[in-house]
Amino acid sequence: MTKTNSPLLQQKRDAMLARILDTARVIMREEGVAALSMQELARRLNIRAPSLYNYFSSKMEIYDALFQLGYSKFADQINHYLNEDGDWQTQLSNLMKNYMDFALQNPELYQLCFERPVPGF
């Protein structure tokens, strides 16, 4: 087994990917989705900006990962309530409530997924 395939190295890589995405979400929440910059992200992670490129090839790739995360979280939340019993009006009401709950709990992901505030994304 080579070092690049080691489970420990993969765990460290996965942990750093999660830190990058979590920090990007904080920046987006504080400054707006379109304000995400590689320089600010690196500064908050206490690394040099070029080091981010070991994990993501571009800022757009970070947005892509967050977009996927947003829709995954949204689908999990919605699917939980759509599987409950009830008439269509109740299910529709639950759907709308959960849509709004998702927006309030994850404003940066909601904006990225549903409002598309990033030019060229």
Side-chain angles (χ1 to χ4, degrees):
M1 181 181 286
T2 65
K3 285 186 177 183
T4 57
N5 292 331
S6 109
L8 181 59
L9 287 177
Q10 188 60 47
Q11 284 178 336
K12 286 183 178 184
R13 180 173 176 75
D14 292 345
M16 186 58 172
L17 289 169
R19 277 188 61 215
I20 291 168
L21 296 179
D22 289 345
T23 304
R25 288 181 67 187
V26 169
I27 294 168
M28 290 167 36
R29 238 183 231 178
E30 292 173 356
E31 300 176 19
V33 173
L36 181 64
S37 77
M38 298 298 261
Q39 289 293 332
E40 179 61 15
L41 186 54
R43 186 187 71 74
R44 291 192 188 202
L45 290 165
N46 294 317
I47 62 174
R48 295 182 55 229
S51 298
L52 287 171
Y53 294 98
N54 292 324
Y55 301 94
F56 293 97
S57 64
S58 68
K59 182 169 66 170
M60 287 300 171
E61 192 174 324
I62 294 173
Y63 280 130
D64 286 342
L66 291 168
F67 186 83
Q68 183 178 13
L69 174 66
Y71 267 104
S72 177
K73 287 173 110 20
F74 180 67
D76 290 345
Q77 186 166 340
I78 295 300
N79 286 334
H80 174 74
Y81 288 96
L82 288 181
N83 292 329
E84 290 184 355
D85 290 334
D87 58 20
W88 68 270
Q89 292 99 337
T90 302
Q91 287 192 346
L92 182 59
S93 176
N94 285 339
L95 176 67
M96 295 311 297
K97 179 189 177 307
N98 281 281
Y99 176 82
M100 294 308 299
D101 286 347
F102 176 80
L104 293 171
Q105 293 166 7
N106 305 282
E108 73 289 348
L109 294 178
Y110 174 83
Q111 288 174 11
L112 184 64
C113 292
F114 296 102
E115 295 178 358
R116 306 297 278 220
V118 180
F121 181 71

